[in-house]
Amino acid sequence: MTDGTGGAGARPRGARTGEDGVVETGTGKTGTGDAVAGAAGRGGGAAGEWVFAVVGLPLALLGGVYALAVLYAGALLSLTVLGLPFVVAGLLGARGLGTAHRRLVGRLLGAYVEGPEPLPRPRGVLARGRTVLADPVAWRALLYLVLRLPLGVVGFAAAVVLPLGCGWLVGFPLWVRLLQPGPRPAGLLDAGAVLLGLLLLVCVPGAVRMLGRANRWLARLLLGPARVQRRVRELEGARASLLAESTERLRRLERDLHDGTQARLVALAITLSLAEDALAPGAAPDLGRLRTLVDRARGQTDETIGELRRLTRGIHPAALDGGLHEALPGLTATSPVPVAVRVDLPERPDPAIERAVYFCAAELLTNVARHSGAAAAALTVTAADGRVRLVVRDDGRGGAALGTAPAGSPAAGTGLSGLAERLAAVDGFLRVDSPPGGPTVVTAELPVRL
C-alpha cells in the first residue's frame, strides 16, 4: 500500500517521521518528527552531530551573549525612554538569530523545524513596536539563545575537549617519561590512566549523540511556531482539505446525476411518451407493443433506482445504520483477501467519525487487495482514552509509504496521502509501518467525539 501522489521527496501536509522510521500524518501529531526528506538529504547522522558540536559553538556563544545583553540592558533601561525601543530591536535580532539556528539544525542535524509565521507589519511605529513586544516567537527565540549557550559549550567539550583529554590519559605513561628523565617503572597509575582514557573515549560518541538529540528537541520546542499558531495552521489545512474534498464530491455527484441518472430519466420519459401515443383515442391499441414499452419502462426504472442507490451509498452507507460492529464485517466479506475482523467499541463514535473509519477501512482493504500481494489480513478497531484506533495489518510485500512510488509500479496511485488529509479534517492522523518484505501495519487514530 504505497501512495503514488506527489513529487520526489514530497511530504504530505502534517506528516512526520519518528525515530523508528515510521511516517505519521495528521493534526495533533505534526512537527515532532526527526526530519523531512529534504532536511534528511542535507545532513543528519553522526557526522552532522560532530560538525554541529564544533561549528555551533561560535554561534551559540554569539547568541547567548546577545540574549543576556538584551535582557540585562533592557532591564537597566526599562525606566527610561530608550528601554522599550531597545527591547524591540533586541527581539527582532533574536528572531533573526533564531532563523540562523533553525537552518543550522536542519542542515547539520537533519531535524526539520517548521518556520514560524512572518511578523505582522501594522501601520505606525507604535503599533509595530507593540506587535514585536507581544510576539511569542521572538521571546521563545530569546530563551533558546540563552539555553543554547551552555548546551553549545557542553557539546564542544564532548566533541573536542573530551577526546583530547582521552588522548592525554592514554598517553600518560609516555608523557610522564618524557617530562621526567631517568627510569620510571610502570605502576597502577599508568594502567589506571590508560584504562580511564579508553573508557571515556568509548563514551564520547554516545555523549555527542545524546547532545545532538537535546539540540533537536530544544530547537523544535522553541524555534518553531507556538502551539497556538501550529494548531491554527493544522485547522486551516484540515479545513482546506475538507472543503476541497466536499467540492470534489459535489462535482462528481452532479456529473453522475447529469450524465447517468438524468439520461436514464429522459429515456424513461421517452418510453412513457411512446406508450401514451400507443393509447391515443381513436386508434386500436397494440397490446404487444404496449407490453414491450411497459417492460422497457420497468427496466429503465430499475436501472435508475440502482443508479440512485449507488450514488447515495457514497454519501452515507446504509450498513452504518447499525454501527461499525455490523458495517465492518460486511465490508471485509467482500474483500478478495481473507480478513480477520475484531471490533471492540464500548460506545458508538460520532456519525462523522464512523463514516471516516468506514471509508478509511474500505480504502486500506482495497490497497491490500490491489497492491500488497498479501495472503491474509487483519482489521482491528478499538477505543481508549477518547480515541478510536483502526489497525489494518497484512502479510504482503511491504514497502508502503506516504511518499512517492515509481510510475507504473504496483504501488503507485493508492492514495495514502489523500487518506491522511481526509483523516486530518476530523482531527485524526495516519501511521504507516511497512518495512520491505512486510508486514505492513497501517494505523489510523481519530477522536471518538468531535
Side-chain angles (χ1 to χ4, degrees), residues 316-317 319-328 345 347-361 388 426 446-450:
H316 178 76
L320 281 176
D321 293 341
L324 291 172
H325 290 87
E326 299 179 5
L328 292 178
L345 294 174
E347 58 177 336
R348 289 191 64 170
D350 284 348
I353 300 300
E354 282 191 330
R355 286 195 299 271
V357 172
Y358 181 84
F359 287 120
C360 181
V388 177
V426 289
L446 306 88
V448 175
R449 303 279 179 251
L450 286 177

Side-chain angles (χ1 to χ4, degrees), residues 13-414:
R13 179 170 56 246
R16 73 181 180 96
T17 305
E19 292 184 358
D20 54 357
V22 174
V23 180
E24 298 182 4
T25 70
T27 61
K29 295 287 182 182
T30 59
T32 59
D34 258 358
V36 294
R42 292 191 301 268
E49 292 172 346
W50 283 84
V51 175
F52 182 84
V54 177
V55 177
L57 178 62
L59 193 57
L61 292 173
L62 174 64
V65 171
Y66 175 86
L68 294 175
V70 168
L71 294 174
Y72 181 73
L76 290 179
L77 298 175
S78 59
L79 300 179
T80 67
V81 180
L82 299 177
L84 288 180
F86 180 83
V87 174
V88 168
L91 290 175
L92 290 175
R95 243 185 178 262
L97 288 174
T99 301
H101 278 272
R102 187 170 61 251
R103 292 175 179 173
L104 188 66
V105 168
R107 187 168 295 275
L108 295 180
L109 298 183
Y112 173 72
V113 181
E114 186 179 5
E117 293 287 345
L119 193 65
R121 297 180 62 85
R123 294 183 179 180
V125 177
L126 293 179
R128 292 185 180 180
R130 285 196 299 268
T131 300
V132 174
L133 290 174
D135 181 26
V137 174
W139 287 104
R140 291 165 70 240
L142 199 66
L143 177 60
Y144 173 84
L145 295 177
V146 174
L147 298 179
R148 177 72 183 93
L149 176 58
L151 198 58
V153 173
V154 174
F156 183 84
V160 177
V161 179
L162 186 57
L164 292 177
C166 292
W168 185 86
L169 287 173
V170 171
F172 176 78
L174 177 61
W175 315 136
V176 170
R177 285 161 177 77
L178 290 177
L179 295 176
Q180 295 180 1
R184 184 177 183 274
L188 292 178
L189 183 61
D190 297 336
V194 173
L195 290 176
L196 180 61
L198 293 175
L199 180 62
L200 292 177
L201 192 60
V202 171
C203 297
V204 167
V208 174
R209 190 180 307 113
M210 182 178 63
L211 289 169
R213 291 178 180 175
N215 280 294
R216 292 188 187 96
W217 175 82
L218 187 65
R220 293 192 189 106
L221 180 66
L222 296 177
L223 293 184
R227 181 176 300 178
V228 175
Q229 294 175 329
R230 186 180 297 114
R231 185 60 176 164
V232 169
R233 284 188 181 184
E234 293 169 356
L235 294 177
E236 288 178 347
R239 183 185 63 181
S241 175
L242 183 60
L243 290 175
E245 182 184 1
S246 300
T247 302
E248 178 60 27
R249 283 187 178 181
L250 289 175
R251 288 178 178 175
R252 186 168 59 249
L253 181 60
E254 180 183 7
R255 184 171 59 251
D256 292 340
L257 288 173
H258 181 273
D259 298 340
T261 309
Q262 181 176 327
R264 296 181 188 279
L265 290 175
V266 169
L268 177 60
I270 294 175
T271 302
L272 294 176
S273 178
L274 293 175
E276 183 181 9
D277 293 340
L279 293 174
D286 186 349
L287 297 181
R289 184 166 181 265
L290 280 175
R291 182 173 288 106
T292 301
L293 292 174
V294 170
D295 290 341
R296 184 193 301 175
R298 179 180 299 171
Q300 291 170 339
T301 302
D302 293 340
E303 291 176 356
T304 304
I305 293 174
E307 181 78 12
L308 289 174
R309 286 176 177 172
R310 184 185 66 81
L311 294 176
T312 56
R313 189 179 299 117
I315 299 174
H316 178 76
L320 281 176
D321 293 341
L324 291 172
H325 290 87
E326 299 179 5
L328 292 178
L331 179 66
T332 56
T334 61
S335 174
V337 178
V339 182
V341 186
R342 184 173 72 89
V343 181
D344 184 12
L345 294 174
E347 58 177 336
R348 289 191 64 170
D350 284 348
I353 300 300
E354 282 191 330
R355 286 195 299 271
V357 172
Y358 181 84
F359 287 120
C360 181
E363 184 160 345
L364 292 177
L365 291 178
T366 301
N367 285 349
V368 171
R370 291 182 179 177
H371 308 289
S372 69
L379 184 148
T380 304
V381 179
T382 57
D385 301 326
R387 305 282 293 180
V388 177
R389 173 176 292 185
L390 166 68
V391 180
V392 176
R393 178 187 179 94
D394 67 73
D395 58 359
R397 65 176 63 93
L402 288 160
T404 60
S409 68
T414 56

